[in-house]
Amino acid sequence: MKIMNVPFIDLKPQFRAIEAELMPAMRAVLEQTNFILGAPVADFERAFARYSECAHAVGVASGLDAIKLALRALDIGPGDEVITAANTFIATALGISSIGATPVLVDIDSATFNMDPALIEAAISPRTKAIMPVHLYGQPADMDPIRAIAQKHGLKVIEDASQAHGARYKGRRAGSMSDIAAFSLYPGKNLGAYGDGGIVTTNNQSWAERIAMLRNYGSLVKYQHLEQGENSRLDTLQAVVCNIKLHHLDEGNRKRRAIAARYTERLQGIDELHTPQVRPDVEHVYHLYVVRTPRRDALAAYLKNAGITTIIHYPVPIHLQPAYADRGWRKGQFPLTEAAANEILSLPMFPELTDDQIDYVTDRIRSFFEA
Ligand SMILES: *Cc1c(COP(=O)(O)O)cnc(C)c1O
């Protein structure tokens, strides 16, 4: 058996594809030296708002900051609670805790790995201010019941859409289904900068203006500071990169869906392996393609030997992270999240993955289970 190296993600082929378009646009920024809040930032904000079917978008320095500033714009802070999912990247919870609010976790729906709306009401307290669903792996959370619960209890909804640029739920774009949505533009995301970046979307003009002020030292007019803001601007070069990549996002998401379909078709009929379950009312954008098996660790080791890189998203749930040891969360508290953490495995996924690479991965997986 010849070994083929299959990386988890490779960002170089996309750079080659857009290089001719990108380099002159980046050079123009270097010539004009408009590095901070240059015109391309507003251009990208307009384009991303239109793409996300929202009225406003505001570029910020990271996905984490997008979450923090969304919460600050909604006047959420110390003493307030925000309900989110136990199975997510640490940034979701950190966005809440780092502005002094308290993350309150709920367990997941094992079919989709997203927050289970049926568990939200039991987590609501008099201090609850908002619900923050995460569209994990690129599949939108079940927003209708989440929004209905929020409305009933007078809560805000903030989407963490960092893994779901371009996804749809019942026809609506990720980022357009809540009060404010936060996106990461980290290089490996479906829409990724060549460095850190983030963006916030909303239909509310005053929240958008407040975030634009907060990201720039609380200032709208230079040296006049209305609030204690932050330095969290999306820089001009990253806005140029993202604006060009935005034109290729739908095509990249289509390719991701085709890759997922090929994986799923070729992995049918293995008793101990579950392929992703997709809600019939969503357009999944497969930021990650996550399989589930009780033999996860042995499978990952076998694939590594065969030259295939896999990753676990995420091996340690939020409530078991040492960083949150002071919260009183216990092992066993979110059993479906914990069970998933022991069994999930993300296979290589990026738009330029070839059929040969996909087939090699699925052949190796079949031979592992058939051995
Ligand atoms: C990537 C990610 C973030 C944070 O993004 P950064 O740009 O790295 O700060 C937040 N939430 C989720 C679900 C993510 O995947």
Side-chain angles (χ1 to χ4, degrees):
M1 181 75 216
K2 199 169 165 300
I3 288 204
M4 184 190 285
N5 274 307
V6 186
F8 185 74
I9 182 171
D10 183 0
L11 298 175
K12 284 189 295 294
Q14 193 193 25
F15 171 59
R16 289 288 167 244
I18 62 174
E19 184 176 2
E21 200 181 348
L22 186 67
M23 295 315 280
M26 290 185 77
R27 169 170 279 277
V29 175
L30 303 185
E31 299 278 5
Q32 290 167 34
T33 69
N34 53 346
F35 304 115
I36 303 298
L37 295 181
V41 175
D43 292 344
F44 173 59
E45 288 170 341
R46 270 191 301 276
F48 193 75
R50 196 178 324 117
Y51 179 85
S52 303
E53 300 169 4
C54 280
H56 308 280
V58 184
V60 298
S62 70
L64 173 63
D65 281 2
I67 295 169
K68 289 165 61 176
L69 294 175
L71 292 165
R72 285 193 65 183
L74 295 172
D75 282 321
I76 294 170
D80 298 332
E81 294 178 357
V82 178
I83 296 171
T84 192
N87 182 34
T88 183
F89 180 56
I90 188 85
T92 312
L94 275 180
I96 299 166
S97 60
S98 66
I99 56 136
T102 302
V104 172
L105 304 178
V106 295
D107 213 344
I108 53 168
D109 155 31
S110 291
T112 62
F113 304 105
N114 273 325
M115 165 187 274
D116 183 349
L119 302 174
I120 293 173
E121 280 197 296
I124 293 175
S125 85
R127 291 166 174 262
T128 307
K129 288 283 162 31
I131 307 171
M132 189 179 294
V134 183
H135 305 316
L136 201 70
Y137 308 152
Q139 169 153 238
D142 192 3
M143 292 302 291
D144 278 354
I146 292 170
R147 282 152 51 104
I149 294 163
Q151 193 154 28
K152 178 174 157 197
H153 295 270
L155 308 175
K156 296 287 196 286
V157 180
I158 300 149
E159 289 162 84
D160 182 347
S162 293
Q163 301 189 1
H165 315 70
R168 289 187 189 274
Y169 169 89
K170 301 186 181 178
R172 300 185 63 178
R173 281 271 197 222
S176 73
M177 299 183 281
S178 59
D179 293 290
I180 308 185
F183 290 85
S184 168
L185 300 169
Y186 179 82
K189 300 291 158 89
N190 290 34
L191 178 63
Y194 288 150
D196 278 308
I199 193 161
V200 171
T201 54
T202 181
N203 285 315
N204 183 301
Q205 186 174 349
S206 58
W207 294 334
E209 284 171 357
R210 186 153 178 217
I211 291 166
M213 175 183 68
L214 286 171
R215 74 170 170 187
N216 192 26
Y217 291 119
S219 166
L220 290 171
V221 175
K222 205 166 170 95
Y223 303 129
Q224 299 192 27
H225 304 279
L226 303 171
E227 280 196 73
Q228 295 176 44
E230 314 192 9
N231 177 351
S232 181
R233 300 166 297 217
L234 177 65
D235 75 65
T236 309
L237 278 171
Q238 302 309 341
V240 163
V241 171
C242 289
N243 217 354
I244 288 172
K245 285 197 177 189
L246 183 58
H247 301 140
H248 303 271
L249 177 57
D250 282 340
E251 185 198 351
N253 285 343
R254 261 196 306 280
K255 287 181 178 168
R256 287 172 185 271
R257 273 194 287 275
I259 291 163
R262 191 176 183 101
Y263 268 141
T264 296
E265 188 200 318
R266 298 176 60 93
L267 291 172
Q268 286 315 296
I270 303 172
D271 284 348
E272 287 179 297
L273 185 87
H274 299 283
T275 54
Q277 293 186 48
V278 186
R279 298 173 54 89
D281 50 7
V282 304
E283 259 179 56
H284 195 319
V285 291
Y286 291 99
H287 173 58
L288 297 168
Y289 183 92
V290 179
V291 297
R292 180 168 186 160
T293 172
R295 297 174 65 196
R296 191 266 313 276
D297 291 341
L299 174 62
Y302 181 90
L303 294 177
K304 183 164 187 258
N305 266 327
I308 299 162
T309 307
T310 59
I311 304 185
I312 299 164
H313 297 91
Y314 296 90
V316 181
I318 302 298
H319 65 290
L320 302 178
Q321 290 289 352
Y324 284 128
D326 61 345
R327 300 278 154 158
W329 284 321
R330 315 174 307 281
K331 200 167 168 60
Q333 198 171 353
F334 304 103
L336 301 180
T337 293
E338 291 174 35
N342 291 326
E343 296 191 344
I344 50 180
L345 190 67
S346 307
L347 303 184
M349 174 55 86
F350 53 96
E352 296 82 6
L353 205 61
T354 65
D355 285 353
D356 281 352
Q357 288 175 313
I358 299 164
D359 295 354
Y360 176 73
V361 172
T362 57
D363 286 350
R364 296 333 297 146
I365 292 174
R366 294 202 86 90
S367 71
F368 170 81
F369 284 103
E370 282 156 14

